[in-house]
Amino acid sequence: MHSKHLSIALAGNPNSGKTTIFNNITGTRQKVGNWPGVTVEKKEGYVSKFGYDLIIVDLPGTYSLTPFSLEEIITRDYVLEERPDVVIDIIDASNLERSLYLATQLRELDCKVLFALNMADVAQTRGMKIDDEMLSELLNVPVVFTIGNKNEGIDTLLEKAIELAESSYEIPKTRKVKYSKDIEHSISNLERFLENWTEGSIPYNIRWTAIKLLEDDKIVKERILQKAGKNSQDILREAQRHRDFLVDRFDDEPEIVMTDERYGFIFGIIKEVLTTSTKQRVDISRNIDLILTNRFVGFPIFFLFIWAMFELTFSLGAYPMEWIGGGVNLLSTFLDSVLPDNLFKDLLLNGIITGVGSVIVFLPNILILFFCIALFEDTGYMSRAAFLMDKIMHLIGLHGKSFIPMLMGFGCNVPAIMATRTLESEKDRTLTILITPFMSCSAKLPVYIILAGTFFGASAGTVIFSIYLAGIILSIITGRLFRSTILRGADAPFVMELPPYRVPMIKSLLIHMWDRGKIFLKKMGGVILAGCVIVWALLAFPRNMQYSSDYAAEIDRVKASYVAEMTTANEPDKQLLEKRRDAAVAKLIRSKKAEKSEKSFMGRIGQVIAPLFEPLGIDWRGSVALLTGFAAKEIVVSTMGILYVADEEEDSEALKNALLSSDMTPLSALAMMAFVLLYLPCLATVAAIRRETGSFKWMFFSVVYSTLLAWVVAFCVYQGGRVIGFS
Ligand code: GDP
Ligand code: MG
């Protein structure tokens, strides 16, 4: 039996997958040559399928069918002159807009055309959904999804092509590009003219010919001259008349106006058939980025965000902080009243509850801080911040990518140092690890809050923000220093990814926040509790010490001296005397406590290290507190709580009041904050540095360098401040 022959041409944009599909269909049965007279490759293949002998032609890739390039002329002439039974337009589905231009032009040629929506996989991964039925209906062509490189949908494509070739398909007049009124008017006039004057001597579709004449298409004009015989000059003159009219109307060449209108038509189609879940987000993201990563406003906005984060942490956190503080006091008062006086009670009340209690009140602040950091991460702002910082990071010889671990360092240095694993270059990693501890971690926050809150009142938020900023600046200076000395080298080039912005899920934010909160609470029960017990023990022992005077006897003497006076005094005077007496007694108790702590083990350690801190304006108690902070930075506060709070009566403002009545000034508080910001990282961080750099050398280097720097900076702050008269 003789099978039927059909010819199928594959058209499409370059790289849409034509050759891939051609090879899939024809396998090895190919003939490769050139198109007649030119060096453009012509591929033909043969295959027998579904009872047909198919000739497949791989046309040159083109974006349109204007007669401007060889490929376009070949493709158009092949379709016009050779009249293949079916033209398959291979459309890059992930690039619909660009592909549809050729598609609409093929539609205008009135050949039997079929769309293969190739690259369907790419379109899908980009979140594009194409309504194939709608597209098929709108343009009146069959549509098939294909994945060329996986040979998916190819058989269906061939089946449909054969079906289309065999159908007595009436080429519909509608559902093509419709041009604006003036152009359509010229088209139909010219169509009528052509029908009357060519007497069927032009083999092409009349409407298409009219359109091409209006576009001043060279090749079509030549064909008219060849084929329309004696009337050809009249036709060209008539076409020119319409062109002149349209140029006058639109003040532009008709071909340009018509190209615009075709794109308008394509946009309309795309609106109907294409839904993207990502494109819109990408567009919105791009618009947001125009502002947020702008060279001029990007930085102020970035600092505003960071400042707002600390302001929020401080001011919003103040409320729950008060509640927790109140709760701790209630517990303390209650235990005080029910427990018998003994060493255990002393440990529980003055060691554990005072110590841990002074840190646990910061749980809300830390939760808020981590909430904000999670917000930056989940919205995608974090990588914008890194992008913004890229230029500045290059000053240190690092790139923006290093800024992400540094930003994370605001939360906790340990995961931050682990996050440097994403950096490729060893030197970049080491450098980033060395400067990350200057990003003030959340454990240092309680120290700032207590010091800034006590000594700077309303501007505490701004002071804390400045401390953080100082950390960033010093890390940059340090980085620059190290890059030009011990870690010389160039930064590797890289691409900063900017994922689209996302609306963060509140659940994910809360989970992030709580994860960090849990670690904080665990620390409370572990290292901080242990630290408090040790500090308390060092302070409570030795038990039987020699006081410089017999305080008990003196208190009795003071009380007795008032008794005589008070019995003779009248009512108002009596109250006054009572007050005076109580104050005198309290003063003696305070002196006793102060002497006791000074003579304790802790006091002795303090006396040894105090000279080191004296130039910084920090007394022996502050020095000891800083020393204990090596275990965990929160312990600085709990130690201060145990050491400074000497009065018997306790309230939520106890540490604050104690600090205010100590020798500490706003200036020395500032120096102490600077010291806390910079000095040796906590135990866990030191271990992380050792692990991630793989060397004890870098670990010791980091410890020594940061502590030295802390001392120098705190010294400059304190002494400099005194010179300029700030106190
Ligand atoms: P042509 O220029 O139109 O002939 O395109 P090619 O057939 O040379 O294809 C260009 C590239 O796209 C090749 O690397 C193909 O492997 C790839 N390709 C073709 N079809 C698909 C498809 O459906 N999905 C994907 N992901 N890649 C494809
Ligand atoms: Mg090719």
Side-chain angles (χ1 to χ4, degrees):
M1 199 182 93
H2 221 69
S3 37
K4 222 179 146 186
H5 289 272
L6 283 179
S7 59
I8 298 174
L10 304 181
N13 292 171
N15 279 319
S16 57
K18 285 186 311 306
T19 306
T20 309
I21 289 179
F22 175 81
N23 290 340
N24 280 338
I25 298 173
T26 60
T28 51
R29 308 181 44 181
Q30 303 182 359
K31 198 178 81 188
V32 181
N34 279 345
W35 291 92
V38 292
T39 55
V40 178
E41 191 181 78
K42 182 182 188 189
K43 274 183 155 189
E44 262 180 313
Y46 313 93
V47 69
S48 297
K49 265 236 148 128
F50 309 115
Y52 289 85
D53 280 342
L54 304 174
I55 304 172
I56 319 282
V57 178
D58 187 12
L59 292 171
T62 61
Y63 291 108
S64 80
L65 290 180
T66 47
F68 294 124
S69 76
L70 215 48
E71 284 80 8
E72 288 171 346
I73 293 169
I74 292 169
T75 302
R76 196 172 82 180
D77 280 354
Y78 183 82
V79 175
L80 281 174
E81 308 292 336
E82 307 290 325
R83 300 215 148 260
D85 293 304
V86 176
V87 177
I88 299 179
D89 183 11
I90 314 280
I91 287 177
D92 177 353
S94 66
N95 218 322
L96 210 51
E97 185 185 322
R98 198 175 60 188
S99 310
L100 280 180
Y101 194 76
L102 178 68
T104 54
Q105 290 201 311
L106 282 171
R107 272 291 282 112
E108 274 182 337
L109 275 183
D110 276 354
C111 51
K112 286 182 173 176
V113 67
L114 169 71
F115 288 173
L117 288 175
N118 195 37
M119 309 265 178
D121 53 334
V122 182
Q124 194 177 20
T125 51
R126 293 203 189 144
M128 307 164 116
K129 214 180 151 309
I130 299 168
D131 185 343
D132 55 330
E133 280 173 26
M134 180 68 94
L135 181 65
S136 171
E137 208 174 297
L138 284 177
L139 284 174
N140 226 317
V141 287
V143 173
V144 179
F145 280 110
T146 58
I147 303 175
N149 57 347
K150 290 191 195 137
N151 206 8
E152 277 178 36
I154 308 296
D155 276 348
T156 320
L157 186 66
L158 280 183
E159 266 179 290
K160 288 254 170 165
I162 293 167
E163 198 180 297
L164 180 64
E166 290 292 22
S167 67
S168 52
Y169 169 73
E170 263 299 309
I171 289 158
K173 292 268 176 281
T174 55
R175 298 192 181 170
K176 295 184 200 176
V177 181
K178 213 153 153 40
Y179 300 95
S180 53
K181 224 174 97 210
D182 286 324
I183 295 178
E184 282 293 340
H185 184 73
S186 287
I187 293 174
S188 48
N189 275 351
L190 210 50
E191 266 184 279
R192 263 201 305 283
F193 196 84
L194 284 167
E195 267 162 17
N196 293 338
W197 291 89
T198 60
E199 295 145 0
S201 59
I202 294 179
Y204 317 133
N205 171 287
I206 296 286
R207 179 178 161 93
W208 183 79
T209 311
I211 290 171
K212 290 298 128 179
L213 284 176
L214 286 179
E215 286 185 326
D216 206 24
D217 187 301
K218 269 200 318 281
I219 291 181
V220 172
K221 273 160 70 182
E222 268 169 35
R223 301 277 154 84
I224 297 274
L225 284 176
Q226 285 164 15
K227 297 187 180 174
K230 56 181 182 5
N231 294 325
S232 53
Q233 292 294 347
D234 291 335
I235 295 171
L236 294 189
R237 221 174 292 124
E238 178 67 7
Q240 190 56 45
R241 204 175 61 75
H242 281 288
R243 272 181 60 78
D244 292 343
F245 166 74
L246 292 175
V247 168
D248 186 51
R249 260 299 142 89
F250 292 100
D251 201 20
D252 221 335
E253 304 294 327
E255 55 268 36
I256 291 174
V257 178
M258 289 159 89
T259 301
D260 282 349
E261 293 186 355
R262 273 180 211 127
Y263 273 114
F265 180 73
I266 289 167
F267 285 140
I269 293 174
I270 287 178
K271 259 218 164 100
E272 291 295 324
V273 303
L274 183 68
T275 41
T276 33
S277 45
T278 55
K279 189 167 179 295
Q280 203 189 357
R281 246 205 353 253
V282 168
D283 284 348
I284 293 172
S285 288
R286 216 172 282 154
N287 287 335
I288 297 176
D289 275 341
L290 283 182
I291 300 167
L292 292 188
T293 60
N294 178 284
R295 267 189 306 161
F296 302 106
V297 297
F299 273 106
I301 294 176
F302 171 60
F303 284 114
L304 184 76
F305 280 159
I306 302 284
W307 175 82
M309 173 169 90
F310 292 122
E311 190 58 37
L312 202 68
T313 301
F314 187 75
S315 51
L316 191 69
Y319 300 98
M321 187 175 163
E322 218 162 86
W323 306 331
I324 298 178
V328 170
N329 283 321
L330 276 179
L331 180 70
S332 170
T333 325
F334 170 74
L335 289 177
D336 192 22
S337 62
V338 296
L339 289 176
D341 277 337
N342 57 24
L343 200 61
F344 172 72
K345 180 181 172 179
D346 192 29
L347 168 66
L348 192 63
L349 286 182
N350 298 328
I352 295 170
I353 293 181
T354 311
V356 175
S358 56
V359 181
I360 201 152
V361 292
F362 297 104
L363 179 65
N365 304 96
I366 284 166
L367 290 181
I368 295 172
L369 183 69
F370 277 112
F371 184 86
C372 293
I373 290 178
L375 194 66
F376 288 157
E377 270 186 338
D378 287 9
T379 51
Y381 185 69
M382 195 71 125
S383 48
R384 270 70 185 185
F387 179 82
L388 269 179
M389 291 302 287
D390 196 45
K391 273 235 169 64
I392 292 183
M393 297 300 286
H394 275 289
L395 293 178
I396 330 175
L398 285 174
H399 41 61
K401 220 171 173 178
S402 287
F403 192 66
I404 291 183
M406 289 169 71
L407 260 184
M408 285 171 69
F410 284 143
C412 176
N413 283 179
V414 176
I417 284 170
M418 273 156 46
T420 59
R421 284 179 197 173
T422 54
L423 305 175
E424 287 89 29
S425 136
E426 169 104 32
K427 276 186 180 169
D428 286 5
R429 290 193 50 194
T430 309
L431 187 54
T432 309
I433 288 173
L434 290 178
I435 62 179
T436 296
F438 296 146
M439 299 291 111
S440 196
C441 76
S442 61
K444 298 176 183 173
L445 189 62
V447 187
Y448 306 146
I449 292 180
I450 196 74
L451 291 175
T454 302
F455 293 100
F456 293 93
S459 45
T462 313
V463 168
I464 294 174
F465 169 69
S466 318
I467 293 283
Y468 276 81
L469 193 62
I472 297 176
I473 292 170
L474 281 166
S475 74
I476 290 171
I477 294 173
T478 298
R480 182 106 193 98
L481 180 72
F482 288 177
R483 192 48 127 183
S484 52
T485 54
I486 51 176
L487 283 168
R488 218 178 284 239
D491 46 336
F494 86 113
V495 177
M496 187 78 235
E497 300 114 40
L498 294 179
Y501 286 99
R502 278 167 212 282
V503 178
M505 288 199 342
I506 194 79
K507 195 172 152 202
S508 141
L509 292 178
L510 292 178
I511 288 173
H512 277 146
M513 178 180 91
W514 181 238
D515 275 351
R516 310 308 312 184
K518 244 182 2 208
I519 292 176
F520 178 77
L521 287 178
K522 269 197 195 135
K523 244 185 180 174
M524 295 267 89
V527 67
I528 294 174
L529 178 66
C532 289
V533 172
I534 292 170
V535 170
W536 170 84
L538 286 174
L539 201 62
F541 293 95
R543 289 304 282 172
N544 39 13
M545 58 174 62
Q546 291 290 316
Y547 288 104
S548 57
S549 61
D550 188 346
Y551 287 103
E554 247 180 86
I555 289 169
D556 286 343
R557 205 173 42 74
V558 168
K559 279 185 181 164
S561 72
Y562 278 93
V563 171
E565 271 188 76
M566 274 166 68
T567 41
T568 55
N570 50 16
E571 229 6 78
D573 281 348
K574 214 175 182 173
Q575 275 182 1
L576 203 73
L577 284 170
E578 217 167 70
K579 255 194 196 149
R580 243 189 256 160
R581 182 200 63 188
D582 288 349
V585 169
K587 196 176 160 213
L588 281 170
I589 293 175
R590 262 206 302 279
S591 309
K592 183 184 176 188
K593 267 221 159 184
E595 192 179 340
K596 181 171 175 257
S597 56
E598 251 162 76
K599 288 189 171 164
S600 68
F601 289 125
M602 184 60 99
R604 289 178 213 176
I605 297 172
Q607 309 303 327
V608 173
I609 59 168
L612 278 177
F613 290 94
E614 207 188 303
L616 316 183
I618 299 169
D619 68 3
W620 74 268
R621 288 173 290 197
S623 317
V624 169
L626 290 172
L627 195 66
T628 56
F630 177 54
K633 296 290 145 114
E634 295 95 333
I635 297 183
V636 174
V637 171
S638 58
T639 306
M640 290 202 301
I642 298 171
L643 285 178
Y644 283 97
V645 181
D647 306 45
E648 292 295 337
E649 106 276 3
E650 287 208 25
D651 59 61
S652 62
E653 303 277 275
L655 182 52
K656 196 173 164 178
N657 292 333
L659 283 172
L660 280 174
S661 59
S662 76
D663 293 337
M664 210 171 239
T665 61
L667 186 58
S668 58
L670 206 57
M672 188 160 175
M673 283 190 270
F675 194 87
V676 168
L677 167 72
L678 300 169
Y679 85 129
L680 74 149
C682 72
L683 208 54
T685 306
V686 169
I689 294 176
R690 154 82 189 82
R691 210 169 46 236
E692 297 298 317
T693 58
S695 98
F696 279 106
K697 191 189 84 188
W698 284 124
M699 184 192 88
F700 284 121
F701 178 80
S702 169
V703 167
V704 172
Y705 174 80
S706 53
T707 310
L708 277 180
L709 183 68
W711 196 89
V712 171
V713 170
F715 181 83
C716 293
V717 167
Y718 186 66
Q719 300 299 341
R722 276 160 52 120
V723 168
I724 62 167
F726 179 85
S727 65

